[in-house]
Amino acid sequence: AGVLYYNSTLGKMNHVEVPKIQYTTPEDDLFADPEGMDAEETAATESTEAVPTETTEPAHVPSSEDYINILVVGQASRAGETANSERMADTAILCTINTYENKLTLTSFLRDSLVRPPNFKGHEFGKIKLTTVYHLGSYYSNGDVAGSMQLMNMTLYDSFGIEVDYNFEVDFDIFMKVIDLMGGVTVNLTQEEADYLNSEDGWIGYTVSPGEFHLDGSGALCYARMRKAEGDGDSDIKRTARQRHLIDRLIFGLKWLTISDINEMANQIMPMITTSMTNAEITDLMMKLLPM
């Protein structure tokens, strides 16, 4: 009964099939010694007297098997808009899980970065903003979000050498709902951030104070999208740093939820998530994450 319920819960997500990219970089080349290094080490060994050494396990050599890259995109469609018309990547964060060292790393991609996507479904592109790549993938796939994910993955590989294994898409609504279901989130506000949120441009709707401050879902969204506080310089670098700070606080907050809280959250947010992962792949990932 538990397995059936678990699978039915995962089945509430929107699953799409994204074609896998055939990555062409030989893995052996990524970790090869610099040219001539092996020969120098051999010469040094031959020219010195042999010294007994303790037997130790060989050093671990990183490989692609150690890493799982999951790209999470917050797309910018709003109420009253079709996702296809405005499926921009407002936020793109790569979650890299290092299964050997048990670490999670978050890497933000600046949405206004100029990139040149590869040819896609017969279309050629010049230099465009990364946020637009996600939209064009859907546009040239007749509104299919799998096209957005596919073109985004291809572009990140061509431009940065990033090999994306899985994709998730969320929107503003799910972002606010998760935080509200958790009872809000506490962030550390600077004076400049508080001043901006309290201004007419802040759109937060209530007064905040610098220091530790508890935000609801709507307030957290204003915080996560802010990039015009004094000192920001209209910078997406500051904005993405706030987003990673917010995610860190959310992960901390999840530790205090009860099973019933998590179950209620899953039932409400699963239908709002789109992913390229199958139920079996999600289960396999969960088994790897639990010991971490």
Side-chain angles (χ1 to χ4, degrees):
V3 171
L4 289 174
Y5 182 78
Y6 169 80
N7 285 323
S8 68
T9 301
L10 291 184
K12 294 177 181 179
M13 283 191 290
N14 303 299
H15 295 272
V16 296
E17 186 174 347
V18 178
K20 299 293 185 182
I21 298 175
Q22 297 300 316
Y23 300 116
T24 57
T25 304
E27 188 170 285
D28 291 341
D29 292 345
L30 294 176
F31 306 102
D33 291 330
E35 186 176 354
M37 183 65 73
D38 289 340
E40 292 177 7
E41 289 181 352
T42 301
T45 302
E46 293 175 348
S47 63
T48 58
E49 185 177 348
V51 178
T53 58
E54 295 182 4
T55 302
T56 58
E57 294 185 2
H60 178 75
V61 178
S63 73
S64 60
E65 299 300 319
D66 296 329
Y67 302 94
I68 302 171
N69 284 330
I70 301 174
L71 183 67
V72 181
V73 166
Q75 61 100 349
S77 65
R78 296 169 173 81
E81 298 175 343
T82 63
N84 185 36
S85 64
E86 291 294 339
R87 182 170 260 124
M88 300 290 187
D90 189 70
T91 296
I93 296 179
L94 186 74
C95 304
T96 301
I97 301 167
N98 183 333
T99 58
Y100 179 74
E101 297 181 340
N102 291 337
K103 291 182 179 179
L104 170 65
T105 304
L106 302 179
T107 305
S108 299
F109 294 97
L110 307 186
R111 63 181 183 180
D112 291 339
S113 300
L114 285 179
V115 294
R116 189 188 300 275
N119 294 350
F120 183 70
K121 298 185 182 296
H123 300 278
E124 295 184 5
F125 306 96
K127 288 185 178 180
I128 59 176
K129 292 182 178 181
L130 187 63
T131 182
T132 310
V133 171
Y134 201 72
H135 165 69
L136 292 177
S138 172
Y139 182 82
Y140 289 120
S141 302
N142 298 318
D144 188 0
V145 65
S148 292
M149 295 176 174
Q150 181 184 4
L151 183 57
M152 196 71 161
N153 294 350
M154 294 167 63
T155 302
L156 291 181
Y157 179 64
D158 276 16
S159 299
F160 305 105
I162 299 296
E163 301 180 5
V164 176
D165 298 304
Y166 306 109
N167 300 78
F168 278 83
E169 180 193 275
V170 297
D171 58 19
F172 294 158
D173 290 337
I174 187 175
F175 179 86
M176 292 186 290
K177 182 176 283 292
V178 166
I179 292 175
D180 285 336
L181 287 172
M182 291 179 61
V185 60
T186 300
V187 298
N188 189 16
L189 296 175
T190 65
Q191 183 66 61
E192 292 77 15
E193 290 169 343
D195 289 343
Y196 178 81
L197 291 174
N198 288 329
S199 69
E200 292 183 0
D201 295 331
W203 294 100
I204 195 167
Y206 50 87
T207 302
V208 300
S209 303
E212 295 285 314
F213 197 90
H214 199 70
L215 300 172
D216 62 9
S218 177
L221 181 63
C222 293
Y223 171 81
R225 303 195 70 224
M226 172 174 51
R227 61 173 181 172
K228 295 187 178 182
E230 184 178 349
D232 283 4
D234 197 17
S235 170
D236 203 32
I237 296 175
K238 291 287 188 71
R239 188 181 77 108
T240 55
R242 293 186 181 105
Q243 292 169 357
R244 294 190 300 275
H245 172 62
L246 189 59
I247 292 173
D248 182 63
R249 290 303 183 96
L250 287 174
I251 292 175
F252 178 79
L254 285 172
K255 298 178 181 179
W256 306 103
L257 295 182
T258 65
I259 294 297
S260 61
D261 291 334
I262 294 174
N263 182 58
E264 177 65 20
M265 182 182 295
N267 284 326
Q268 293 199 41
I269 70 172
M270 287 294 187
M272 305 171 70
I273 297 175
T274 301
T275 181
S276 65
M277 296 187 77
T278 64
N279 286 0
E281 289 171 335
I282 293 173
T283 302
D284 182 61
L285 178 62
M286 291 280 286
M287 297 304 295
K288 292 178 180 177
L289 291 179
L290 282 175
M292 300 170 57

